[in-house]
Amino acid sequence: MAECTIPTLTTMDEVQRKSVLPSDYRADMAGLKQLDLKPPILELIRRASSRLPQDVIDALVKGRDAEEEGSRAFNTLNDMVKNILLADGHVTPLCQDTGTLIFWVRHPYGLSQHKVKQQIRATVVEATQRVWLRPNCVSSLEGKNTGNNLDPFHEGHPVVHFEEWEKSEIEVAIMLKGGGCENVGAQYRLPDVTIGAGRDIGGVRKAIIDAVVKAQGQGCSPGILGVAIGGDRVTGYEKSKEVILRKLGTPNPDPKMDQFEKEITNDLNTLGIGPMGYGGKTTVLGVLVEEMFRHPASFFVSISYMCWSSRRRVMTIGANGDVSFD
Amino acid sequence: MIRLTTPISEDQARQLKVGDEVLLNGKLVLSRDMGHKYMKEQKPEWLKPILKGMVIYHCGPVVKKNADGSWSFVAAGPTTSIREEPYEADVLDTYQVRGVIGKGGMGKKTSDGLVKTGAVYFHATGGAGSLLAERVKRVVDVHMLEEFGSPEAFWVIEVDDFPVVVTMDSHGGSLHEIVLAQSQERAKALMAK
């Protein structure tokens, strides 16, 4: 029987010591046009690739402790916890599939999006050389790997979303989304007679259940579901990824939706799919839902499945130039 | 717990049953999408001695090149196996492979192939890239690195007590089929609510 691993990550002092961001780094927020974000972004990638967020670890541990000790589900969740500690301790990728790299940059007026995109691209190349990222960008038909994680022609990878906002700080969020879980994402167009789903919250619920049953363990369960109700085919899927940035255990701002998230999570955990599809009580760690507006004729439910190794980090650069990571 | 060292005989493979927990030792050969397409379509002869009695691992590792030119595995968990469904049964038969390691399980065609050839499907914990890389003692060789790129190349590695579970056996058994059927049944009940 596997020993029960205590989920203690390295201390923040240790993280600081290993940081690649010089301790005296301070962003020059007075010169937004000339800002060099490469050093903090490199540290952001390092943390995202090797150190799982605490809320995800807590959810995995809660799942493990709900399984029968010594069962395959228990041992599998325990191995996941062990893996988390090893990756954090060694600063190595949590998973060999370091995923599609998605960035969200929110910034004040005056920052050059063109420059920041080039800085992100250069930093991704460096992180790949440092073996924190696997080269994951190949041409579709020939399968040729570019070797550096860059889509050379269309700049489609890494994915970078920009938004100008009124705050004076800069926020950069990152997600490393593996291919296995991306492959089990699904988009439903309601009504859907094949699953008896109408254009209401009951129909949304059926779509979610159907997607999770179809996914089985293939998205590396227990997964985290990001669900967007509405939008169009593109914005729905985009939103379904963005909502996965919300911490598990943080309530949905909409009380009705919060209730729905809790109920559907409980329902899904009675499916018996369990960690890696081995059977068990822990099939999902959480469901995060956001309602959007839609065209009257369209009713999409877009579902992104995030594997248990939900690698996401957010970096904030304050108006004074200080960098903090969450 | 069963300890097995590759190469594995047909008899050893046929003794394994769904649910068996196995620690693998000896060599494994990594291959995934490009490798499987290549093996089925081109049936390269040079792979025959390398794969006979061997276990194929569906994995695209993160590897590091050391100063002395040798390689180290940094993260090496399994990738989703179902993508190899069109190829695997042929690969098992052509190369007399005795086992496949991956995640998520495989379909009917592969299951039939396991029965015919005398081989098993081993499941490893997905996402446990660091944990499984620790069980890699050394990188013995690599083939088609230039052509396929590092995640797709045929890496030959030597492992030490590599932990897997038999989820599909040579008697037609599949844990994945059982869990699928049970969860579909439960989903029906949930949707009727």
Side-chain angles (χ1 to χ4, degrees):
Chain A
M1 189 183 295
E3 77 284 16
C4 196
T5 301
I6 311 289
T8 315
L9 292 177
T10 51
T11 62
M12 285 321 288
D13 284 350
E14 183 73 3
V15 174
Q16 276 303 330
R17 198 180 58 74
K18 290 174 179 168
S19 174
V20 290
L21 185 65
S23 57
D24 59 351
Y25 176 91
R26 185 152 295 199
D28 177 15
M29 298 294 275
L32 280 177
K33 271 187 196 155
Q34 273 70 46
L35 204 55
D36 181 10
L37 291 180
K38 290 197 293 291
I41 290 172
L42 186 64
E43 174 63 8
L44 180 70
I45 296 174
R46 184 184 80 84
R47 294 193 192 202
S49 167
S50 63
R51 194 172 163 93
L52 208 64
Q54 191 62 48
D55 59 293
V56 181
I57 300 174
D58 292 345
L60 284 165
V61 169
K62 195 176 151 205
R64 177 193 69 186
D65 296 346
E67 302 284 355
E68 194 183 324
E69 202 167 335
S71 67
R72 191 163 304 130
F74 180 96
N75 292 346
T76 302
L77 286 159
N78 200 47
D79 277 350
M80 291 169 180
V81 175
K82 278 190 207 162
N83 185 72
I84 293 163
L85 303 189
L86 280 172
D88 174 48
H90 295 166
V91 189
T92 52
L94 280 146
C95 176
Q96 74 289 339
D97 183 2
T98 55
T100 291
L101 308 168
I102 313 170
F103 291 85
W104 288 265
V105 182
R106 295 183 174 88
H107 61 89
Y109 174 76
L111 188 83
S112 163
Q113 295 187 350
H114 172 74
K115 276 192 184 157
V116 171
K117 188 160 188 187
Q118 296 316 312
Q119 290 166 5
I120 287 175
R121 288 171 66 83
T123 310
V124 162
V125 173
E126 177 162 4
T128 310
Q129 283 161 355
R130 287 178 181 248
V131 204
W132 296 335
L133 299 175
R134 184 179 73 179
N136 260 357
C137 185
V138 302
S139 64
S140 286
L141 293 176
E142 277 186 38
K144 186 83 191 149
N145 198 317
T146 62
N148 59 7
N149 264 314
L150 299 185
D151 165 357
F153 302 118
H154 306 289
E155 299 198 356
H157 193 258
V159 181
V160 188
H161 300 286
F162 285 101
E163 187 191 342
E164 185 184 308
W165 63 5
E166 296 198 335
K167 295 186 192 177
S168 51
E169 62 196 42
I170 300 171
E171 186 189 275
V172 183
I174 185 175
M175 180 180 287
L176 275 56
K177 191 161 189 309
C181 66
E182 182 69 359
N183 284 346
V184 297
Q187 191 169 57
Y188 292 80
R189 186 188 61 196
L190 303 189
D192 184 331
V193 291
T194 61
I195 55 169
R199 292 185 150 198
D200 51 26
I201 192 73
V204 173
R205 178 174 169 275
K206 285 182 181 176
I208 296 172
I209 294 170
D210 188 64
V212 171
V213 170
K214 287 204 173 105
Q216 292 290 301
Q218 305 211 350
C220 282
S221 54
I224 298 165
L225 303 185
V227 181
I229 305 169
D232 64 18
R233 287 198 184 272
V234 173
T235 57
Y237 261 139
E238 251 173 27
K239 180 61 77 181
S240 73
K241 290 202 170 74
E242 193 183 339
V243 293
I244 296 170
L245 292 172
R246 196 173 101 215
K247 285 183 186 176
L248 297 172
T250 311
N252 190 311
D254 175 349
K256 264 197 289 192
M257 213 48 96
D258 191 59
Q259 185 63 25
F260 175 74
E261 288 180 357
K262 291 196 171 88
E263 284 170 10
I264 187 77
T265 301
N266 287 335
D267 282 346
L268 294 170
N269 282 331
T270 66
L271 286 170
I273 295 168
M276 295 315 299
Y278 284 151
K281 297 172 194 156
T282 321
T283 297
V284 295
L285 297 178
V287 182
L288 305 160
V289 189
E290 195 165 319
E291 184 184 354
M292 305 169 77
F293 281 76
R294 60 179 173 83
H295 184 280
S298 303
F299 194 128
F300 294 110
V301 181
S302 308
I303 302 170
S304 282
Y305 192 111
M306 186 67 175
C307 60
W308 66 263
S309 192
S310 179
R311 287 151 290 168
R312 52 162 175 79
R313 288 279 163 196
V314 180
M315 163 181 101
T316 308
I317 305 177
N320 61 0
D322 279 349
V323 185
S324 60
F325 296 91
D326 187 20
Chain B
M1 193 70 78
I2 300 165
R3 257 202 185 83
L4 276 179
T5 302
T6 61
I8 297 172
S9 69
E10 181 178 346
D11 188 46
Q12 282 176 307
R14 290 206 185 268
Q15 280 176 30
L16 294 168
K17 303 266 185 328
V18 166
D20 284 346
E21 297 188 9
V22 178
L23 294 173
L24 287 171
N25 289 273
K27 286 181 196 163
L28 306 177
V29 181
L30 274 63
S31 179
R32 46 181 279 167
D33 308 71
M34 290 171 87
H36 278 73
K37 189 168 188 292
Y38 170 71
M39 285 189 282
K40 182 176 175 182
E41 291 175 0
Q42 305 196 20
K43 300 203 174 4
E45 281 294 324
W46 62 267
L47 263 170
K48 285 192 175 159
I50 295 171
L51 286 178
K52 193 169 167 53
M54 215 31 78
V55 172
I56 290 181
Y57 183 19
H58 295 159
C59 170
V62 175
V63 289
K64 192 172 100 188
K65 192 159 195 173
N66 302 314
D68 65 359
S70 65
W71 300 93
S72 299
F73 272 32
V74 176
T79 191
T80 308
S81 299
I82 196 71
R83 295 195 309 273
E84 316 319 336
E85 182 67 8
Y87 316 111
E88 204 70 74
D90 292 281
V91 169
L92 293 170
D93 190 43
T94 306
Y95 295 97
Q96 293 297 296
V97 170
R98 296 288 164 220
V100 174
I101 310 170
K103 73 176 174 81
M106 300 187 73
K108 177 82 170 69
K109 195 176 168 198
T110 302
S111 178
D112 291 346
L114 297 173
V115 174
K116 183 182 168 216
T117 307
V120 293
Y121 179 83
F122 297 110
H123 202 288
T125 299
S130 292
L131 191 74
L132 294 173
E134 292 237 316
R135 304 297 174 96
V136 179
K137 268 206 302 213
R138 67 186 182 103
V139 176
V140 179
D141 208 350
V142 59
H143 304 275
M144 307 292 281
L145 179 59
E146 263 308 299
E147 294 85 345
F148 290 172
S150 113
E152 299 276 350
F154 291 102
W155 295 92
V156 183
I157 58 173
E158 198 176 319
V159 294
D160 194 12
D161 281 351
F162 193 90
V164 290
V165 181
V166 177
T167 57
M168 294 169 69
D169 61 26
S170 65
H171 311 282
S174 166
L175 177 69
H176 308 285
E177 286 298 315
I178 297 168
V179 173
L180 176 67
Q182 285 172 350
S183 59
Q184 282 171 335
E185 200 58 35
R186 176 64 193 150
K188 244 188 244 167
L190 282 174
M191 288 203 199
K193 266 206 266 181

